[in-house]
């Protein structure tokens, strides 16, 4: 006769095995039928910006592929932290996603001491969607036609050249602080409430330098209102083929692109993550979406969830010293 303790152990083992098989079956079933209802993509910023535009373009592609509505929910505030935290605390079933970007996933941990979410632990990476290169532009009155000439001028006149940005802690602010750190250029920061006002003042000569996303300045570069010196990406822009990269201009390994990608709450089943990743990558390969991204100055960046997760970890480490050395504070 089997002792009672042994019987209980056998029963517990059998129950654990049954539950494991049941959970596996439920997860597989959920992935097979996913999505069976509308998906919500949270954009942690106001409508109209690059994050919002990319989310809506991606949402339309997913809706066409799966026949389920993809709803974009704008939840702005605190540099994207409010919307990101909302997704971090959502049910991990794949029906609530975040269109994150360099700020919410890589910059905010060093910018906000009491961040309510952890970009690595609170989310599971789903797909890297796009990169948006920054372009270094100056007012035509600035006596510099190359990056090296601008750096020499800024060193010769420390604090006399002003650079603008969309605000403290913005992508433009950080890209320029990284540029200063890598080149030794002395530039004084003038924060604005948005990129538009900064571009307007640059054209008017109130500030002299701006390092911002390509879409905001392409038109002004082409009509001669601004002079472009370099692009932040590893490769030249198709829209500006004669414009060198900062690395080509003499500062090797310099890269300061903005980037965007989809994450989900931690705990979403891997099968659902894989299904989302495959469909997003398929959509990014379509000529229609590529053209839409190109019109926004963005470059499609299909990848695996692991590659996107590694990017987030690398970028958190890369931007921390930039924020500290530049004494960057959130608005």
């Amino acid at each position: 006769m089997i002792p009672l303790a042994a019987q209980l152990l056998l029963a517990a083992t059998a129950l654990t095995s049954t539950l494991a098989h049941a959970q596996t079956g439920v997860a597989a079933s959920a992935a097979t039928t996913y999505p069976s209802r509308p998906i919500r993509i949270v954009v942690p910023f106001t409508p109209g910006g690059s994050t919002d535009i990319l989310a809506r373009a991606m949402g339309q592609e997913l809706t066409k592929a799966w026949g389920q509505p993809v709803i974009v929910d704008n939840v702005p505030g605190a540099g994207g932290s409010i919307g990101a935290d909302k997704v971090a605390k959502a049910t991990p079933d794949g029906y609530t996603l975040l269109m994150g970007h360099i700020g919410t996933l890589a910059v905010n941990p060093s910018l906000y001491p009491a961040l309510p979410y952890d970009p690595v632990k609170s989310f599971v990476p789903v797909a890297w969607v796009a990169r948006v290169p920054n372009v270094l532009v100056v007012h035509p009155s600035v006596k510099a036609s190359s990056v090296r000439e601008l750096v020499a001028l800024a060193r010769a006149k420390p604090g006399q050249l002003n650079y603008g940005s969309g605000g403290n802690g913005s992508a433009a602010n950080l890209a320029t602080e990284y540029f200063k750190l890598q080149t030794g250029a002395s530039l004084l920061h003038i924060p604005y409430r948005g990129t538009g006002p900064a571009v307007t003042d640059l054209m008017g000569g109130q500030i002299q330098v701006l390092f911002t996303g390509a879409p905001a300045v392409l038109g002004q570069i082409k009509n001669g209102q601004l002079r472009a010196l370099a692009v932040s990406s590893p490769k030249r822009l198709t829209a500006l083929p004669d414009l060198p990269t900062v690395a080509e201009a003499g500062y090797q390994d310099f890269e300061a692109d903005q980037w965007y990608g989809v994450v989900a709450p931690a705990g979403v089943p891997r099968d659902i993550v894989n299904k989302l990743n495959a469909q997003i990558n398929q959509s990014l390969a379509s000529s229609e979406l590529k053209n839409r991204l190109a019109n926004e100055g963005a470059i499609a960046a299909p990848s695996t969830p692991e590659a996107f997760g590694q990017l987030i970890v690398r970028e958190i480490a890369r931007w921390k010293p930039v924020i500290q050395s530049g004494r960057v504070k959130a608005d």
Side-chain angles (χ1 to χ4, degrees), residues 71-316:
I71 301 162
V72 173
D73 184 10
N74 296 91
V75 186
S81 298
I82 294 176
D85 185 49
K86 188 173 183 178
V87 174
K89 293 179 171 59
T91 303
D93 55 9
Y95 289 94
T96 301
L97 308 172
L98 174 72
M99 179 60 82
H101 88 319
I102 184 173
T104 50
L105 298 177
V107 171
N108 284 358
S110 299
L111 204 58
Y112 294 90
L115 199 66
Y117 63 91
D118 184 313
V120 176
K121 296 179 181 178
S122 300
F123 303 108
V124 57
V126 173
W128 187 359
V129 173
R131 294 186 293 108
V132 176
N134 289 303
V135 176
L136 179 62
V137 290
V138 297
H139 186 267
S141 65
V142 176
K143 299 184 183 302
S145 298
S146 69
V147 174
R148 288 201 174 276
E149 289 180 2
L150 176 64
V151 171
L153 183 63
R155 286 176 173 175
K157 298 181 178 181
Q160 293 185 38
L161 289 178
N162 298 329
Y163 83 87
S165 80
N168 289 313
S170 66
N173 179 199
L174 294 173
T176 314
E177 289 299 325
Y178 184 55
F179 177 76
K180 288 169 57 179
L181 190 64
Q182 296 297 308
T183 65
S186 176
L187 301 166
L188 182 64
H189 182 212
I190 307 296
Y192 289 81
R193 293 200 174 277
T195 301
V199 173
T200 298
D201 270 12
L202 180 64
M203 290 190 295
Q206 283 77 30
I207 56 175
Q208 291 77 45
V209 182
L210 185 64
F211 208 165
T212 194
V217 290
L218 278 176
Q220 293 86 343
I221 292 169
K222 291 182 176 181
N223 65 24
Q225 291 177 288
L226 298 175
R227 182 188 307 134
L229 302 184
V231 62
S232 68
S233 53
K235 296 181 180 180
R236 296 191 180 194
L237 282 180
T238 302
L240 298 168
D242 297 327
L243 186 66
T245 67
V246 175
E248 287 177 328
Y251 299 94
Q252 294 184 355
D253 300 323
F254 183 94
E255 182 181 344
D257 290 356
Q258 300 179 43
W259 49 261
Y260 303 80
V262 175
V263 296
V268 170
R270 179 67 198 208
D271 286 348
I272 290 179
V273 170
N274 288 342
K275 193 169 186 177
L276 276 164
N277 177 267
Q279 187 56 56
I280 290 172
N281 286 346
Q282 184 177 330
S283 297
L284 290 172
S286 71
S287 57
E288 181 181 349
L289 190 54
K290 279 184 178 179
N291 290 336
R292 291 186 67 178
L293 292 177
N295 290 337
E296 296 299 324
I299 302 167
S303 71
T304 63
E306 289 77 15
F308 184 42
Q310 291 164 7
L311 171 74
I312 294 170
V313 172
R314 287 198 310 270
E315 291 284 272
I316 290 172

